[in-house]
Amino acid sequence: MNVLFVTSECAPFVKTGGLGDVAGSLPQELVAQGVETRVILPKYAVIPQQYKDQMQYIDHIYIKMGWRSQYCGVFELKMNNVTYYFVDNEFYFGANYVYGDIATDIERFAFFDKAVLALLQVVDFWPDIIHANDWQSGMVSVLLRAHYAYDGRYNRIKTLFTIHNLKFQGIYDKAVIADVCELEKSYFTPDKLEFYKDASFMKGALTYSDYITTVSPTYAEEIKTEFYGEKLDGLLRARAGSLKGIVNGIDYNTYNPRTDEMIYETYNSRDFISKKKLNKTALQRELGLVEDDEKFIISMIVRLTSQKGMDLVNCVLEDICFDQNIQIVVLGTGEKKYEDSLRYFDWKYHGRVSAQIRFDNTLAHKLYAASDVTLMPSLFEPCGLNQLIAMRYGTLPIVRETGGLKDTVEPYNEFESTGTGFSFKNYNAHEMLGVIRYAHDIYYNRRKDWNGICRRAMAKDYSWQQSAREYIELYQSLA
Ligand code: ADP
């Protein structure tokens, strides 16, 4: 079984969010379980030089983009038994960013999707399955049908498309997409690519892929409803027979408190109580918070958007800060209004609130190790990785019961002594506040129970083994 994994980001080369993590770890596990998996992504300028130095130039071709002909090089890098291909073009991927504005990105990723298919002949790799991810690789299944239907090497390939976030769809003017993708008018009808007078990469993928997955069973159900469906719920209901949710795992080598070199003190499930305290005070010192290992640290490592529930946080942050025992650390970047309000709280409650407005992987690891809880009050959450990473580090997630958060965090039940975190149901700031206070109460007044929840959370298995097995079963049923 040969699989080509198509992605717009992949750790450790380039990552802006969960897709980068998934692309970095799932293919390795597929290979470990005997599936020949290769990954293809753009060769962005922002990929660190150390990886660029390891890449080998293979060949180049030219790809027609409207009236232009664009250079398309391919580089190869082998790492951890996975072969990575990087699509090279200075014009599209030479700038200092991963994603730009939609007008630019439509053409960049149309080029990438065309390149993915054209390059199969160059690298002479013929997958049984092309596994594409999110709108940036959404046109692959459309172009496979439109341009390669009569080529025997191509038309036996099956396509799987994974939705990591339905909100971002790659919607743009029909004429532009028709031009850069070289698609006939007949593709731009409401049953195909047309989306409210424009056209959508995501819709193309959902229409033309042989099978669709998303990253948790609950999100797979939610997106069939109007509230979560982002105007594609009708199509998703129509395709319900070819749609399922497979929950993400995390990379157990990268996220391992026993061996993590980025955290202040490594620890395991036996010595975590004392060692987490050392991590806590070291973090407090680094961030200028009041140094006290009995403070209750709530962290968020997050894109600062409404999706992540930042409006709920803003609404009750003042109430949370009312409690002198609570410290809050937010690491994230995103919408200006959220960045500004966090800076304001950092200023007002200096020593108790720390706003770290940046992307910082090392600090993220330190936060997972040093915090008591991580807060994820998402409006919607396809899977969410923070809660999985947090549990591995004995940091308890407080989540809203949606998408993957609902599937992966079992709420604490004080009567049966079960559960691995805390949760609330409605998108309501005071419901969230109530649960934060409840968790805080358990932490201070029932420490033995608290430590029991941490132990259960750390013992949970959210490695990729099981999920990769589910993907392989799916590939086999399609091939
Ligand atoms: P999404 O993909 O919607 O942003 P996920 O929870 O699936 O959310 O994945 C987010 C990933 O990005 C996690 O690994 C998280 O630790 C990381 N991350 C998010 N923001 C930051 C940041 N500012 N600094 C470092 N890591 C971050």
Side-chain angles (χ1 to χ4, degrees):
M1 165 88 58
N2 291 344
V3 174
L4 181 69
F5 195 89
V6 187
T7 178
S8 55
E9 52 184 276
C10 177
F13 312 111
V14 52
K15 163 180 153 181
T16 71
L19 172 59
D21 281 315
V22 172
S25 42
L26 172 60
Q28 284 182 35
E29 184 58 33
L30 292 171
V31 170
Q33 295 191 23
V35 175
E36 167 72 31
T37 310
R38 303 193 185 181
V39 179
I40 187 161
L41 68 152
K43 184 170 175 283
Y44 300 105
V46 294
I47 294 175
Q49 193 58 39
Q50 68 182 102
Y51 299 117
K52 286 188 189 149
D53 291 343
Q54 295 172 44
M55 294 178 192
Q56 278 197 331
Y57 168 79
I58 300 200
D59 207 346
H60 71 272
I61 51 175
Y62 284 87
I63 288 183
K64 206 166 152 281
M65 295 296 290
W67 56 269
R68 284 164 301 181
S69 190
Q70 289 284 10
Y71 167 89
C72 170
V74 58
F75 286 70
E76 184 185 279
L77 188 159
K78 289 194 169 123
M79 211 170 81
N80 301 325
N81 301 322
V82 179
T83 302
Y84 297 91
Y85 295 118
F86 295 86
V87 176
D88 181 36
N89 175 298
E90 277 290 308
F91 176 65
Y92 290 123
F93 306 122
N96 233 1
Y97 57 78
V98 180
Y99 303 123
D101 60 45
I102 187 71
T104 325
D105 280 358
I106 285 291
E107 188 173 327
R108 293 168 83 217
F109 291 105
F111 169 78
F112 174 62
D113 291 0
K114 278 179 152 179
V116 166
L117 293 170
L119 287 173
L120 296 183
Q121 306 175 43
V122 177
V123 299
D124 198 23
F125 177 67
W126 297 101
D128 301 294
I129 306 283
I130 292 183
H131 185 166
N133 296 275
D134 272 355
W135 80 261
Q136 292 86 352
S137 47
M139 276 302 190
V140 173
S141 56
V142 182
L143 295 168
L144 187 64
R145 291 277 192 89
H147 296 167
Y148 297 93
Y150 301 108
D151 188 328
R153 295 167 306 174
Y154 282 91
N155 64 15
R156 44 166 287 282
I157 299 174
K158 294 288 190 292
T159 50
L160 170 65
F161 181 77
T162 299
I163 305 167
H164 297 259
N165 195 333
L166 189 62
K167 192 167 180 71
F168 305 109
Q169 299 184 359
I171 298 165
Y172 205 64
D173 187 76
K174 275 194 280 197
V176 173
I177 294 184
D179 184 38
V180 291
C181 291
E182 288 179 284
L183 288 172
E184 286 166 14
K185 259 199 171 144
S186 60
Y187 279 90
F188 296 89
T189 52
D191 60 328
K192 295 183 179 130
L193 298 186
E194 186 183 299
F195 187 75
Y196 297 89
K197 308 279 185 231
D198 283 322
S200 151
F201 274 41
M202 174 70 84
K203 189 170 175 194
L206 300 184
T207 308
Y208 284 93
S209 300
D210 292 301
Y211 204 94
I212 304 160
T213 62
T214 185
V215 287
S216 69
T218 295
Y219 193 59
E221 289 307 311
E222 288 173 341
I223 55 178
K224 287 184 268 183
T225 67
E226 200 179 340
F227 183 80
Y228 292 99
E230 303 290 345
K231 299 203 172 92
L232 285 170
D233 46 299
L235 174 55
L236 288 161
R237 283 196 295 279
R239 294 227 54 194
S242 310
L243 165 66
K244 80 182 251 188
I246 301 178
V247 84
N248 284 337
I250 51 170
D251 186 329
Y252 264 35
N253 295 322
T254 308
Y255 298 109
N256 184 352
R258 285 169 200 242
T259 54
D260 192 335
E261 286 171 2
M262 296 187 214
I263 65 180
Y264 306 98
E265 287 278 338
T266 54
Y267 57 91
N268 57 42
S269 54
R270 283 184 305 281
D271 63 3
F272 75 97
I273 298 174
S274 57
K275 292 288 178 62
K276 271 184 82 71
K277 286 191 171 199
L278 295 177
N279 276 288
K280 186 186 279 189
T281 44
L283 180 83
Q284 288 166 330
R285 201 168 315 133
E286 181 174 333
L287 299 184
L289 295 165
V290 174
E291 279 180 52
D292 178 349
D293 65 17
E294 277 300 294
K295 296 285 185 212
F296 184 69
I297 297 191
I298 302 174
S299 66
M300 294 184 79
I301 301 152
V302 68
R303 281 184 294 117
L304 299 173
T305 62
S306 58
Q307 177 203 331
K308 299 292 180 179
M310 293 315 296
D311 293 309
L312 301 194
V313 175
N314 265 351
C315 179
V316 293
L317 202 54
E318 198 75 55
D319 302 72
I320 298 173
C321 291
F322 186 72
D323 189 323
Q324 300 279 339
N325 284 323
I326 293 181
Q327 294 183 342
I328 295 164
V329 185
V330 183
L331 169 63
T333 55
E335 287 175 38
K336 188 169 180 306
K337 62 176 176 181
Y338 300 125
E339 292 187 352
D340 287 347
S341 97
L342 288 166
R343 285 196 183 101
Y344 162 77
F345 281 106
D346 181 313
W347 165 79
K348 184 170 179 189
Y349 293 104
H350 204 68
R352 290 206 278 134
V353 175
S354 175
Q356 300 295 324
I357 310 296
R358 61 180 196 274
F359 197 94
D360 183 338
N361 194 34
T362 306
L363 183 59
H365 281 247
K366 288 175 177 171
L367 279 175
Y368 286 122
S371 319
D372 297 295
V373 295
T374 192
L375 182 61
M376 300 183 74
S378 303
L379 177 60
F380 67 93
E381 193 61 74
C383 178
L385 297 175
N386 289 10
Q387 80 281 14
L388 305 181
I389 303 169
M391 286 191 276
R392 179 116 166 103
Y393 283 77
T395 296
L396 301 185
I398 297 183
V399 303
R400 177 166 170 259
E401 291 161 19
T402 183
L405 299 175
K406 187 172 174 190
D407 293 335
T408 56
V409 178
E410 185 193 348
Y412 171 54
N413 180 326
E414 62 183 49
F415 305 105
E416 295 175 4
S417 291
T418 55
T420 56
F422 300 86
S423 68
F424 61 99
K425 192 165 188 328
N426 295 300
Y427 190 71
N428 177 302
H430 286 87
E431 205 170 310
M432 175 183 84
L433 181 63
V435 175
I436 292 174
R437 286 186 173 148
Y438 175 62
H440 178 249
D441 178 61
I442 305 289
Y443 179 78
Y444 278 109
N445 300 321
R446 290 193 239 162
R447 191 62 64 89
K448 237 178 121 193
D449 292 354
W450 180 272
N451 291 335
I453 313 173
C454 297
R455 265 187 213 101
R456 285 194 293 277
M458 290 178 88
K460 276 269 173 193
D461 183 4
Y462 284 112
S463 66
W464 269 106
Q465 272 187 12
Q466 175 54 27
S467 303
R469 224 172 282 141
E470 287 184 53
Y471 276 111
I472 293 170
E473 274 169 28
L474 191 55
Y475 296 154
Q476 281 165 344
S477 73
L478 292 171

